[in-house]
Amino acid sequence: MTRLALLLSALAIAGQVNGAGTIGAPRPAVLRDVEGYAIASCLARQDRPYLMDQGDAWASVIVQRMKGDVNVLAGLAEQVQAESARGRMAVIRDEANPGKDKMLPVLYCSEIIDRPTVRAAIEKAVAALAPSYGRE
């Protein structure tokens, strides 16, 4: 193998490892459903009725359309609950009410899937459900 071919192979592998090769590619349905369930679970745990309702409805849609054993999501829900209990809610200054903070639960819940314990639970659920989803 020539040095150029070796270099190109290494670059192609590096692109796949760091995710650069997947930018713009659709997520597999199993990953979409599991990540969506994590975010929906977080929203369902908020103290605002509208967010709770939206989170519960979103989670219900995912459970109805998903393939495989729904009980696989229990561990994920536990990790979302544990992470939420840590109280790392995103907050900004409220420009409408100087001196007060504005909680950002939608931002917080959208980013909860990147917390290490939640990400590990997502990966575990995806691995368990992937055979049921096949090659979607």
Side-chain angles (χ1 to χ4, degrees), residues 30-31 34 72-73 75-76 78-79 117-131:
V30 64
L31 181 60
V34 173
V72 169
L73 299 176
L76 175 58
E78 289 173 10
Q79 288 304 315
T117 58
V118 175
R119 178 53 54 189
I122 287 169
E123 290 172 4
K124 184 176 179 182
V126 167
L129 293 170

Side-chain angles (χ1 to χ4, degrees), residues 2 10-11 13 17 21 33 41-42 48-49 51 60 65 68 74 77 81 90-92 108 112 124 130 136:
T2 68
L11 290 173
I13 291 169
V17 170
D33 284 351
S41 295
C42 178
R48 295 184 177 116
L51 294 178
S60 293
R65 78 174 175 210
Q81 182 177 9
V91 178
I92 63 168
Y108 173 75
I112 203 165
K124 184 176 179 182
E136 288 185 47

Side-chain angles (χ1 to χ4, degrees), residues 76-97:
L76 175 58
E78 289 173 10
Q79 288 304 315
V80 169
Q81 182 177 9
E83 185 61 41
S84 296
R86 290 188 176 97
R88 298 178 181 157
M89 180 64 65
V91 178
I92 63 168
R93 290 185 188 253
D94 189 346
E95 292 180 16
N97 298 305

Side-chain angles (χ1 to χ4, degrees), residues 15-32:
Q16 292 301 315
V17 170
N18 70 15
T22 61
I23 294 175
R27 292 178 296 162
V30 64
L31 181 60
R32 180 204 60 215

Side-chain angles (χ1 to χ4, degrees), residues 20 23 43 58 75 86 93 106 121 135:
I23 294 175
L43 290 171
W58 185 4
R86 290 188 176 97
R93 290 185 188 253
V106 174
R135 297 186 52 102

